[in-house]
Amino acid sequence: AGNKMLMLLESSLASSEDGGGPCLYIQDRGVSRWDTCAAEAILRAFGGDLAKLSGEEAGEETHYTYLETDCNLDFVPGLATCTKYNSRTNDALGKRVNDVEAFKPYSNLCGMIAFGKEFNTDDGRQTLKEAIRKASKRVPPSYD
């Protein structure tokens, strides 16, 4: 995930003559915070952003939490599917659950969307939210 976000940043910073331009990276599959935190910091330093896909899908601007914790602070009941990567045990693998204790504390359960500075404006974010809502109606994110 981090490598793809840095590729997005390189494209965002490159001129159109060099093959650069606005890019997005969307992932509905879960990864861990350590897979994204460094690239997120660099992306934000250059005017881009990383947001929760579930928030953008709902028309909200939401970000992941990096506070030290024993439970997943970004948990949304019934949204994420338990996998061998995000689940504390194998009891609920393949199921959407309503218990925060089923998930590891630092799993990104809500998907993500990374974008360069071109989309990090009011108009750009509105365009992204509308596109995500339309795409989600056709193919809902799996959040697994």
Side-chain angles (χ1 to χ4, degrees):
N3 183 48
K4 292 176 181 125
M5 284 191 275
L6 292 179
M7 290 170 54
L8 174 149
L9 178 60
E10 285 179 347
S11 180
S12 176
L13 295 175
S15 67
S16 58
E17 295 84 32
D18 293 331
C23 289
L24 298 173
Y25 170 53
I26 300 173
Q27 183 169 335
D28 64 347
R29 305 283 191 261
V31 295
S32 294
R33 303 272 172 31
W34 50 81
D35 296 323
T36 60
C37 62
E40 179 179 2
I42 294 168
L43 188 60
R44 284 188 177 173
F46 282 91
D49 202 1
L50 174 97
K52 292 181 191 177
L53 179 60
S54 62
E56 298 291 319
E57 183 183 14
E60 304 166 357
E61 184 176 327
T62 57
H63 296 92
Y64 278 102
T65 305
Y66 293 93
L67 298 173
E68 186 175 349
T69 181
D70 290 332
C71 70
N72 195 303
L73 299 176
D74 299 302
F75 174 74
V76 176
L79 179 69
T81 302
C82 284
T83 69
K84 65 181 182 178
Y85 303 107
N86 67 17
S87 181
R88 289 184 194 245
T89 68
N90 292 334
D91 297 343
L93 293 181
K95 298 177 184 172
R96 290 182 190 252
V97 297
N98 292 317
D99 183 9
V100 68
E101 294 301 320
F103 295 99
K104 294 177 183 174
Y106 299 103
S107 295
N108 290 353
L109 301 176
C110 303
M112 69 180 89
I113 178 167
F115 46 91
K117 62 183 177 183
E118 304 84 4
F119 287 109
N120 201 10
T121 64
D122 290 341
D123 288 343
R125 289 196 81 121
Q126 187 60 36
T127 298
L128 290 178
K129 288 174 186 171
E130 290 170 10
I132 289 168
R133 282 194 297 266
K134 286 180 185 177
S136 294
K137 286 180 182 175
R138 287 186 296 159
V139 182
S142 64
Y143 298 116
D144 59 3

